Amino acid sequence: MEDGLRWLRFVLGSEQSMPEIKSWSDVYDFAVKHSLIGVCNPFAYDVRLPQDLLFQWIGDVEQLKEVNRLLNRQAVEINKFFQRAGFRCCILKGQGNALMYPKPMMRCPGDIDIWVDADKDNIYSFVKNHYPEAKEGVKHISFELSEDVEVDAHYTPQKMFCPAHNRRLKEWLEEQKEEQFNHLVKLPETNAEIAIPTTKFNAIYQLGHILMHLLEEGIGLRQFVDYYYVLRECEKLSEDEKTDIKDTWKRVGTLELASGVMWVEKELLGISESCLLIEPDECFGRFIAEDILESGNFGRHGRWVSFRQKGRIANNIADIRRYVRLMRFMPTEAIFRMLFKVRTATRVVLNM
């Protein structure tokens, strides 16, 4: 773990001198656990790896490049799919985030998330007509574009569980639509423009995304590397734009979370203090860091994973434990998330 974190800080540019690595196998395992196999690859540096590990890592990186090429093409295609039907849309996170990286093809991708300018009923009906097996979620509908690519089509990029915070977030999202749907870029090795969010939007939206995963199964270090580059981009903004970001955090209830995230970015990833938008909160930051380092990407390696697999009751107990722990730092969102889960569980029981 220590070797992995030291190496990550170095490849991100946070450390000037190359760290002494005791075990490259540990660095590799760390990179796999946190979906950072491309970011952490050591091929650009004068290091010696065991031959088996070298070949394994080379193979992983080449496969990663191919996956990114595929997802870039598919992101363009799904964008055209919705546009042909008359919908405006914007690719969230994922392939757009990769553009902030020094080497975009080195970011480990996931699903394609796309924000579609339509209400819930219209977008769900449209997707179901073309993909009958699509699965409806709280804020998006998921479908398989191909065997290897899943798409989450969002009628809203983000929701909050506290009604007051959610109302303010909804108002802010409505204010942002025009700018986001018209912020056009080209993804690597593609020739068509697609919309991705602006830096200001990402600073607010992706913090909310971190919150949702903290409230659910867990958040991964890859998401904090994404946010590391968001904060680096924020350094280029004007003081008025930075103030607007902080004011919006306060409006939608994520200001406390932002202070914890700033600590993680500074202490774990070594980001420059000039990139921090508010004062870091060590207590909340350590809480988040413990969750990240124990659980890995999206909580897949946490000690509660096997417990969750014992059934619905065990899964609910694990969730409630997370909410109770988060009440110390974000009581409003944690309480309303728990109430939402209890209400949903009650409906399921009554309908059985």
Side-chain angles (χ1 to χ4, degrees):
M1 181 69 75
E2 290 182 4
D3 276 351
L5 271 176
R6 281 198 298 267
W7 184 251
L8 177 59
R9 287 166 64 101
F10 171 69
V11 295
L12 289 176
S14 302
E15 302 291 341
Q16 297 302 314
S17 57
M18 186 184 299
E20 181 180 345
I21 300 300
K22 298 176 183 177
S23 171
W24 280 105
S25 292
D26 287 350
V27 175
Y28 176 82
D29 292 343
F30 169 88
V32 170
K33 178 179 178 180
H34 293 283
S35 293
L36 294 168
I37 198 71
V39 172
C40 288
N41 88 76
F43 308 140
Y45 307 97
D46 186 19
V47 298
R48 283 191 174 186
L49 275 67
Q51 190 176 61
D52 290 348
L53 180 60
L54 174 63
F55 291 157
Q56 176 68 51
W57 212 326
I58 289 173
D60 290 343
V61 167
E62 290 304 311
Q63 184 179 22
L64 177 61
K65 291 178 183 177
E66 285 303 312
V67 172
N68 272 307
R69 290 187 183 103
L70 170 64
L71 284 173
N72 285 343
R73 293 193 300 269
Q74 297 284 37
V76 170
E77 289 305 310
I78 198 63
N79 187 71
K80 290 179 180 177
F81 169 70
F82 284 110
Q83 285 185 333
R84 282 194 295 265
F87 298 111
R88 295 190 301 173
C89 44
C90 174
I91 298 293
L92 301 167
K93 304 189 277 77
Q95 301 313 104
N97 273 355
L99 295 179
M100 296 183 290
Y101 284 56
K103 297 179 180 179
M105 305 300 270
M106 290 296 101
R107 180 185 180 274
C108 286
D111 301 334
I112 295 175
D113 290 86
I114 187 166
W115 178 15
V116 183
D117 190 14
D119 62 31
K120 180 179 179 179
D121 291 340
N122 281 340
I123 189 59
Y124 282 25
S125 175
F126 173 77
V127 170
K128 282 279 191 178
N129 283 338
H130 291 82
Y131 297 91
E133 301 300 317
K135 298 177 182 178
E136 298 180 12
V138 174
K139 62 183 186 295
H140 63 257
I141 184 167
S142 302
F143 59 96
E144 289 188 0
L145 186 62
S146 65
E147 184 178 348
D148 300 314
V149 180
E150 184 166 297
V151 176
D152 292 341
H154 296 250
Y155 70 91
T156 181
Q158 187 63 56
K159 283 190 172 185
M160 302 293 283
F161 291 105
C162 169
H165 293 159
N166 192 56
R167 183 179 66 255
R168 294 170 199 155
L169 176 66
K170 188 176 180 180
E171 292 170 355
W172 177 79
L173 288 169
E174 193 64 31
E175 295 167 2
Q176 297 297 311
K177 273 187 177 182
E178 289 302 318
E179 186 174 8
Q180 307 316 311
F181 291 129
N182 289 287
H183 183 233
L184 303 177
V185 300
K186 285 185 180 179
L187 298 179
E189 301 182 27
T190 66
N191 56 15
E193 289 186 325
I194 64 169
I196 67 168
T198 62
T199 298
K200 269 182 65 178
F201 187 92
N202 276 331
I204 295 159
Y205 158 63
Q206 291 193 37
L207 186 68
H209 181 71
I210 287 172
L211 171 61
M212 291 301 106
H213 280 285
L214 274 175
L215 282 166
E216 303 303 330
E217 69 269 32
I219 188 70
L221 196 54
R222 183 190 65 172
Q223 284 65 44
F224 283 84
V225 173
D226 278 352
Y227 209 69
Y228 175 98
Y229 286 114
V230 170
L231 291 175
R232 289 266 295 265
E233 291 297 310
C234 283
E235 194 175 16
K236 304 171 186 176
L237 300 178
S238 70
E239 290 305 313
D240 285 344
E241 289 173 313
K242 293 176 184 178
T243 298
D244 188 44
I245 290 171
K246 291 180 279 189
D247 287 345
T248 305
W249 284 342
K250 189 173 182 178
R251 280 176 59 199
V252 302
T254 55
L255 187 64
E256 294 84 357
L257 175 61
S259 65
V261 169
M262 295 301 130
W263 188 91
V264 173
E265 297 291 348
K266 181 175 181 290
E267 300 300 327
L268 255 63
L269 302 184
I271 199 168
S272 167
E273 289 198 16
S274 63
C275 296
L276 302 180
L277 296 178
I278 61 172
E279 191 69 24
D281 181 331
E282 180 178 356
C283 190
F284 197 0
R286 287 188 181 278
F287 171 89
I288 298 170
E290 178 186 335
D291 195 66
I292 297 168
L293 297 177
E294 177 209 335
S295 302
N297 195 46
F298 288 152
R300 294 187 182 120
H301 303 276
R303 61 179 180 270
W304 283 75
V305 172
S306 58
F307 181 76
R308 284 180 179 276
Q309 294 169 350
K310 294 179 181 179
R312 183 179 296 171
I313 293 176
N315 197 53
N316 287 337
I317 290 172
D319 285 341
I320 290 170
R321 169 185 173 269
R322 294 189 68 82
Y323 309 149
V324 170
R325 292 180 69 216
L326 265 171
M327 282 181 193
R328 177 182 175 188
F329 304 104
M330 300 193 71
T332 306
E333 285 299 322
I335 289 170
F336 276 100
R337 177 64 185 102
M338 187 183 297
L339 291 174
F340 180 84
K341 189 168 188 69
V342 169
R343 184 179 64 181
T344 303
T346 301
R347 286 176 178 173
V348 171
V349 171
L350 292 176
N351 292 328
M352 289 177 66

